[in-house]
Amino acid sequence: MPLTPIEIKNKTFSRAFNGYNRSQVKAFLSVIAKEIEDLRNEKATLLQKIDELTIKIENFEKNEKLLKDTLLTAQKATADIKDNARKEAELIVAKAKMDAENIIKEANERLKKIQDKVNELESQKLNIVSQIKSLMNNISMLIEKNTTPK
């Protein structure tokens, strides 16, 4: 049964011939000594638990800081990746536009060359048709000339 401070203060001993009863005092001191020893052991155990819990808390705090730092690093890396992807997409789009403009320009140049060639061929056709008509007229005149009576 644990002793309380009030019990210790109020403890009385019966009187014996030369003071208090020695066996009662020894027994009481033995109980107090045991109680103090138990309290000291309990205190030591509690202090050890406090140290263990303090170490655990410090480890948790370190892990929390590490996780926060890791999360911030991951967020920054994600932002950098998104930014780089956006820039790369913009470059790809710009290159595609330039390529499309070059293709259109080349197609327009080829179209113009084809149109020029068509016009040239059309002109040659008209010349040939004109020459054929002229030749036909000449042949027709020669035929008439040679078929008329003399």
Side-chain angles (χ1 to χ4, degrees), residues 88-103:
E88 187 174 341
E90 288 173 356
L91 288 173
I92 289 170
V93 168
K95 185 181 182 310
K97 284 181 180 178
M98 285 177 46
D99 290 347
E101 288 174 5
N102 287 337
I103 290 170

Side-chain angles (χ1 to χ4, degrees), residues 5 7 17 21 39 42-44 52 56 60 67 74 76 87 93 104 116 120-121 129 140 149-150:
E7 288 175 329
F17 174 65
N21 183 327
L39 290 173
E42 183 180 356
K43 179 182 176 184
E52 290 170 2
K56 283 184 179 181
F60 286 139
L67 287 173
K76 185 180 181 317
K87 288 178 182 176
V93 168
I104 290 170
D116 290 346
E120 181 183 325
L121 290 172
V129 168
S140 180
K150 294 192 187 182

Side-chain angles (χ1 to χ4, degrees), residues 15-134:
R15 293 259 177 189
F17 174 65
N18 283 332
Y20 295 114
N21 183 327
R22 285 183 181 216
S23 62
Q24 284 182 348
V25 171
K26 281 187 179 183
F28 185 69
L29 291 176
S30 184
V31 169
I32 290 175
K34 174 71 171 121
E35 190 70 29
I36 289 174
E37 181 182 350
D38 290 346
L39 290 173
R40 285 186 177 172
N41 288 339
E42 183 180 356
K43 179 182 176 184
T45 301
L46 291 174
L47 288 174
Q48 183 180 357
K49 283 184 180 181
I50 287 172
D51 289 343
E52 290 170 2
L53 291 174
T54 300
I55 290 170
K56 283 184 179 181
I57 288 172
E58 288 172 356
N59 286 336
F60 286 139
E61 288 172 346
K62 286 177 186 176
N63 287 340
E64 180 184 24
K65 183 181 181 331
L66 180 63
L67 287 173
K68 283 181 181 178
D69 291 346
T70 303
L71 179 60
L72 288 174
T73 302
Q75 287 173 339
K76 185 180 181 317
T78 301
D80 289 346
I81 289 170
K82 283 181 183 178
D83 190 45
N84 289 340
R86 182 187 50 76
K87 288 178 182 176
E88 187 174 341
E90 288 173 356
L91 288 173
I92 289 170
V93 168
K95 185 181 182 310
K97 284 181 180 178
M98 285 177 46
D99 290 347
E101 288 174 5
N102 287 337
I103 290 170
I104 290 170
K105 182 180 175 185
E106 288 174 10
N108 285 333
E109 287 173 1
R110 289 176 69 190
L111 177 62
K112 181 166 178 4
K113 286 180 183 178
I114 291 171
Q115 286 173 341
D116 290 346
K117 190 68 171 175
V118 167
N119 289 338
E120 181 183 325
L121 290 172
E122 191 69 37
S123 177
Q124 286 177 1
K125 177 186 128 182
L126 289 174
N127 283 337
I128 291 172
V129 168
S130 177
Q131 288 174 0
I132 290 173
K133 282 182 181 180
S134 176

